[in-house]
Amino acid sequence: VMICAYLLYSGCFKTADEALDYYGEKRTHNGKGVTIPSQRRYIHYFDRYLRTRQQEPYAPVTLTMSSLIIFNPPDEQAMRVTLLQGAPHPEQLLQSPWQSGMAGEVGGQPAFILHFGPTVVSGDVCVVIERRKGQKGEKMCTFWFNTFFQTEASFRATQSEIDKANKDKNNKKFPVGFSVEINFRQGSIF
């Protein structure tokens, strides 16, 4: 991540994709380089920051989350979602109770829906999705995003953009169409 960020900062490459491609070619035999979706997302964030920092310097942006929807969720007995905030030592903001079964349907797709009370987030946010395994939870997947770069009233990550889920190419754990959407309340910054 840092090498790709430096390649952008130093002007060696003009876009995040160019820096990622170059790093992948030089670092690995298969050309993949940085493969964790959240790390790739943050390289794209840094690229955007470099292009807009004069007009829009980085500052924490506070958003209020209203819901989280898991589209085409895995067929698990029980799942829960944990929200963490801050890096490098994230603090837990909230953890949903274990929930079983489909909570509903959104746009004709099966969905696991969590509605939040006013949940305020700022800066780096991590979403952790766990399945129940015995009395404990087992992490299924995670993803990070940063509120400064959020310009829409929702953030949606597809399977290929979610850490760990992106590796399930044959959809053994995660069904086709698996994605996670976070909705923010109007008036946050939109």
Side-chain angles (χ1 to χ4, degrees):
V1 173
M2 294 306 296
I3 291 171
C4 289
Y6 177 74
L7 291 170
L8 287 167
Y9 180 78
S10 65
C12 291
F13 294 97
K14 301 251 184 262
T15 69
D17 288 330
E18 289 174 2
L20 285 161
D21 289 345
Y22 177 80
Y23 177 75
E25 290 170 18
K26 297 298 180 189
R27 175 73 172 87
T28 63
H29 296 291
N30 62 8
K32 291 188 179 179
V34 180
T35 59
I36 298 171
S38 290
Q39 291 179 343
R40 295 179 67 84
R41 182 176 303 110
Y42 274 69
I43 293 167
H44 282 275
Y45 285 166
F46 188 66
D47 180 16
R48 179 175 151 202
Y49 165 74
L50 289 175
R51 285 185 276 112
T52 63
R53 66 184 167 187
Q54 297 303 322
Q55 304 86 356
E56 186 182 12
Y58 183 85
V61 172
T62 300
L63 300 175
T64 304
M65 296 174 64
S66 59
S67 66
L68 182 141
I69 304 169
I70 302 173
F71 290 94
N72 297 308
D75 189 22
E76 299 295 334
Q77 288 185 342
M79 294 190 328
R80 75 176 171 195
V81 174
T82 303
L83 295 177
L84 306 170
Q85 178 176 279
H89 305 290
E91 293 181 28
Q92 183 173 306
L93 287 177
L94 101 98
Q95 186 171 66
S96 73
W98 290 106
Q99 295 185 1
S100 300
M102 292 302 116
E105 210 174 81
V106 176
Q109 293 182 299
F112 181 84
I113 306 163
L114 292 172
H115 293 282
F116 302 116
T119 303
V120 177
V121 295
S122 181
D124 295 313
V125 179
C126 180
V127 176
V128 180
I129 300 172
E130 296 175 288
R131 67 177 176 175
R132 180 176 258 161
K133 192 163 188 175
Q135 294 300 316
K136 297 185 177 187
E138 176 183 76
K139 192 183 301 184
M140 294 177 64
C141 59
T142 64
F143 65 91
W144 287 85
F145 69 96
N146 186 291
T147 59
F148 176 77
F149 298 97
Q150 186 60 40
T151 58
E152 304 291 327
S154 66
F155 172 85
R156 188 163 188 167
T158 63
Q159 181 177 343
S160 65
E161 299 166 323
I162 299 172
D163 307 347
K164 287 181 87 173
N166 69 315
K167 294 184 180 203
D168 185 17
K169 304 289 185 211
N170 296 321
N171 299 99
K172 291 182 180 180
K173 271 185 155 179
F174 299 93
V176 172
F178 172 75
S179 63
V180 180
E181 180 177 283
I182 298 172
N183 295 297
F184 302 100
R185 288 196 176 166
Q186 291 295 3
S188 285
I189 59 165
F190 313 105

